[in-house]
Amino acid sequence: MESRPVPVRTILTAIGLVLATYLALELVVQVRRVLVWTVIALFFAVTLHPAVGKVERRLPRCRRAVATLLVFLVTAVVLAGLVALFVTPLAQEAGRLAARLPGLIEDARAGRGPIGDLLERTHALKYVREHRGQIRNFATGLGTPALAFVRGAATTAAGSLTIFVLAYLMALEGPKIIDGTLALVDEPRAARIRRVGAACARSVTGYLTGNLLISLICGLLTYAALRVAGVPFAGLIALFVAITDLIPMVGATLGAVVSGLAAFVHSVPAGIGIVVFSIVYQQVENHLLQPVILSRTVQLNPLTVLLSILIAAELAGILGALLAIPVAGMIKVVLKDIWEHRGGRPLEVPMRGDDTASGRAAHKE
């Protein structure tokens, strides 16, 4: 067979596709922070969309802009209340700690009190005395990390505000964009897309509900354990643990470290007890509570939930673990719809104001 020369147009097309792919990947890398903010904002917009719809339906004269504003204001007030509930006692205790700090340092140097006793038991006080010069140099070099922390805090505050505004605009303008896009396709296909989209939105809402329930259980059990151990400020510590438990994979560990350190400062037996409790609870949460609760709220089996979290955390870190379960739920809904349409049977998903029974009756008809 004679080899034919490759047309110049084909070569130029291949080169153009390679360059376009490279430029697209480079653009994604450059704007990755904005993309992350957009994904998180979309997550919250989808979560708050049902609440906006309920307010709009129950108040007939209320426009969508007003309903969206009311829902987001209530959400902001709740979040601000949680922050104030956490920060106010923390600031008060920080003032008390600053007043007692000289005495605590003196007791630690002399080996007195719970901190001094702990330092003596672990031979940390001896290590500090023998390496004063190295510790002083390390403390001197903390200026740059502290400046980086301040910059990171400012970026986080700006990102939080941006996410809030993006989520508000998505919830406000989302229905118009969806209606305009679906107007480009025929009515049966548009109805199918709406049903699948409603089921996907319920997966996201179910995930948020399940995650909040798990964090509530974590906070209550941690509070009970701290009270039994006699650790002071049990409510404040338990609130911190509950908030950090919202972070997939690493949140429970972070809360366990803080509660364990607080317990060890109180007494060594209390610290050992809290560490044991944290280890046992994390195993129960990771292998029982999280798979079982999320499997019911997101309609996924426990094995799929666990594998989704592990794979997504490996690929995209904390953000991947946060979005793993709702994404897995949406993939399941899409695949189920595709499979059922192969046999000519549409996905049975109730629309607005319809229950499951009415949806099935309509399908049978």
Side-chain angles (χ1 to χ4, degrees):
M1 297 179 62
E2 297 183 0
S3 59
R4 297 181 179 179
V6 180
V8 177
R9 179 179 297 178
T10 303
I11 297 176
L12 294 178
T13 302
I15 295 175
L17 290 175
V18 172
L19 291 177
T21 303
Y22 172 77
L23 291 176
L25 293 177
E26 187 67 22
L27 179 63
V28 170
V29 171
Q30 294 297 327
V31 300
R32 59 187 181 276
R33 180 179 296 176
V34 178
L35 292 178
V36 170
W37 290 350
T38 304
V39 170
I40 298 175
L42 180 62
F43 178 80
F44 284 109
V46 172
T47 302
L48 295 177
H49 173 73
V52 175
K54 288 182 180 179
V55 173
E56 190 177 11
R57 288 193 299 270
R58 293 187 178 183
L59 301 177
R61 297 183 180 180
C62 181
R63 296 183 178 180
R64 183 169 185 85
V66 179
T68 306
L69 181 61
L70 288 176
V71 171
F72 273 77
L73 285 178
V74 171
T75 304
V77 169
V78 172
L79 293 177
L82 291 176
V83 172
L85 184 64
F86 174 72
V87 172
T88 301
L90 184 62
Q92 295 175 352
E93 298 307 321
R96 296 178 185 176
L97 179 62
R100 296 175 53 190
L101 191 59
L104 292 175
I105 295 176
E106 187 62 30
D107 291 342
R109 289 178 178 177
R112 298 191 302 266
I115 299 178
D117 183 63
L118 179 62
L119 294 177
E120 286 288 349
R121 289 176 180 272
T122 58
H123 303 287
L125 194 58
K126 180 180 178 181
Y127 177 85
V128 171
R129 291 169 181 169
E130 294 177 354
H131 299 82
R132 289 181 178 178
Q134 298 178 6
I135 295 175
R136 187 180 298 108
N137 294 333
F138 174 77
T140 304
L142 288 178
T144 302
L147 181 60
F149 174 78
V150 173
R151 291 178 179 175
T155 303
T156 302
S160 301
L161 181 60
T162 304
I163 290 171
F164 187 84
V165 175
L166 284 175
Y168 171 78
L169 293 177
M170 288 177 181
L172 177 61
E173 302 294 337
K176 297 179 182 179
I177 297 175
I178 294 174
D179 292 339
T181 304
L182 294 181
L184 302 176
V185 299
D186 54 274
E187 185 60 31
R189 186 171 299 178
R192 177 183 175 185
I193 294 175
R194 288 184 184 277
R195 291 189 177 94
V196 175
C200 293
R202 271 192 291 275
S203 295
V204 176
T205 306
Y207 166 71
L208 179 63
T209 304
N211 205 14
L212 289 175
L213 178 59
I214 294 172
S215 297
L216 178 62
I217 294 174
C218 178
L220 293 176
L221 292 179
T222 303
Y223 175 76
L226 292 172
R227 287 299 301 268
V228 171
V231 179
F233 315 117
L236 180 62
I237 299 172
L239 178 62
F240 175 81
V241 172
I243 293 175
T244 56
D245 193 65
L246 293 171
I247 305 174
M249 304 302 292
V250 299
T253 303
L254 178 61
V257 169
V258 172
S259 60
L261 289 176
F264 268 112
V265 170
H266 176 66
S267 68
V268 175
I272 295 175
I274 294 301
V275 168
V276 172
F277 161 79
S278 299
I279 294 174
V280 173
Y281 174 77
Q282 285 189 39
Q283 298 301 315
V284 173
E285 179 181 302
N286 293 335
H287 297 92
L288 180 62
L289 285 179
Q290 195 171 58
V292 171
I293 293 178
L294 294 182
S295 66
R296 296 190 177 186
T297 56
V298 192
Q299 301 297 318
L300 292 173
N301 63 71
L303 179 60
T304 304
V305 170
L306 186 58
L307 289 178
S308 300
I309 294 175
L310 294 176
I311 294 174
E314 186 69 22
L315 293 176
I318 295 178
L319 181 62
L322 179 66
L323 300 177
I325 298 174
V327 169
M330 290 187 288
I331 291 175
K332 175 192 173 183
V333 169
V334 173
L335 292 179
K336 181 179 179 181
D337 177 73
I338 294 174
W339 178 261
E340 293 191 351
H341 269 78
R342 290 183 60 186
R345 296 176 302 170
L347 178 63
E348 298 177 2
V349 178
M351 300 295 289
R352 293 181 180 178
D354 297 335
D355 54 9
T356 306
S358 62
R360 291 179 178 175
H363 171 64
K364 290 181 180 180
E365 294 176 1

